[in-house]
Amino acid sequence: QGLRRGQVSLVDCICRSHENGMPSLSIIVPVLNEGERIAATLDALAPMRALGVEVVVVDGGSRDATIQRARLRADKVMSAPRGRATQMNAGAEKASGDILLFLHVDTQLPSDADHVLLNGLERSGRVWGRFDVRIDSKDPLLRIVARMMNLRSR
């Protein structure tokens, strides 16, 4: 079971300085052999993408259909050496947004994540943020895991 399908996991956000007006948002998704899940993850981001949010997928050497499925659903699809941090850094370098949101492929954002993120950063005056973890499971042990993860990342 673990932390797989149907969960919300940590999302990290970093705010870079922006020009006058509303800051722009880029969502960076590091992937490796996610051909089975990438379409659903990116399709869920389509409403935000339609509003101008940039989606960048960074592949670490997949041997399945990840890249092909992502190309139809992302603004940029690129390759980087394998390793989540390396891929995230490569995506950050190519992203055009003032705010960078790093999203794991097994993560579901709230439908209003862009507004929650922008408002939260503005209200707090901080240049980073995160969403709480909520694991979609009836297993009480996984609920405890989610609580501990949230406490650890505060």
Side-chain angles (χ1 to χ4, degrees):
Q1 182 114 320
L3 302 177
R4 284 284 177 210
R5 217 165 188 63
Q7 75 176 10
V8 174
S9 99
L10 289 179
V11 177
D12 300 312
C13 309
I14 298 173
C15 185
R16 305 192 277 200
S17 61
H18 63 275
E19 304 289 320
N20 293 334
M22 191 72 154
S24 58
L25 174 62
S26 291
I27 299 175
I28 301 163
V29 186
V31 296
L32 179 66
N33 296 321
E34 297 291 354
E36 293 295 317
R37 292 192 281 188
I38 191 70
T41 298
L42 297 178
D43 286 348
L45 300 177
M48 283 191 279
R49 206 171 153 222
L51 295 173
V53 172
E54 177 185 50
V55 175
V56 179
V57 174
V58 187
D59 186 73
S62 293
R63 295 180 184 217
D64 63 3
T66 300
I67 292 175
Q68 293 82 355
R69 291 178 181 155
R71 278 203 176 105
L72 303 172
R73 296 168 173 91
D75 299 293
K76 296 177 185 170
V77 177
M78 55 184 287
S79 295
R82 185 177 183 169
R84 186 172 283 161
T86 302
Q87 291 168 245
M88 290 167 68
N89 286 333
E93 189 174 305
K94 296 295 181 184
S96 63
D98 302 310
I99 297 173
L100 307 179
L101 186 150
F102 298 94
L103 182 72
H104 299 273
V105 77
D106 62 354
T107 301
Q108 298 170 348
L109 291 173
S111 60
D112 61 346
D114 52 341
H115 298 293
V116 171
L117 175 64
L118 294 172
N119 291 336
L121 289 173
E122 184 178 329
R123 260 193 338 268
S124 71
R126 294 188 175 148
V127 295
W128 63 273
R130 63 164 194 77
F131 287 94
D132 277 345
V133 173
R134 187 181 72 235
I135 300 174
D136 186 16
S137 173
K138 293 179 182 178
D139 184 339
L141 183 57
L142 291 179
R143 289 188 190 140
I144 293 169
V145 169
R147 281 191 205 120
M148 297 305 289
M149 290 173 70
N150 291 331
L151 284 172
R152 181 187 70 176
S153 55
R154 289 194 189 276

